[in-house]
Amino acid sequence: MNEQAAEEFAELDELQTAYKAAMEKWIAAIRKEEALVVVAPHSVAEVDKWEQAHFDEDEARNIALAAKEDYEDALREKFFGF
């Protein structure tokens, strides 16, 4: 493998690693929200925590989707040239 190819794969590896890490954070955020949804009895404080967990999950999802898009774009560029 030549140096240029190694650099291209290194970039893909970085993007894939970032995507995987973002997915793991998203999964953790989903689990946190899930854990709060089964808490009983629901108080205003518990509902507030649950609502915040939803916002955190939504943010983590958006980050994961952006990382996925970056990785997919790099793959398209590498394999299809666009």
Side-chain angles (χ1 to χ4, degrees), residues 8-43:
E8 288 176 15
F9 281 117
E11 180 184 354
L12 289 174
D13 288 346
E14 280 183 33
L15 290 168
Q16 184 183 48
T17 298
Y19 175 42
K20 184 172 177 16
M23 288 295 299
E24 292 298 328
K25 287 181 182 179
W26 182 23
I27 291 166
I30 290 168
R31 289 196 173 128
K32 181 177 180 181
E33 183 179 1
E34 176 191 33
L36 291 169
V37 104
V38 296
V39 173
H42 283 290
S43 66

Side-chain angles (χ1 to χ4, degrees), residues 59-71:
E59 181 180 348
R61 178 181 184 272
N62 290 336
I63 291 168
L65 291 175
K68 178 184 183 210
E69 187 175 330
D70 291 345
Y71 181 50

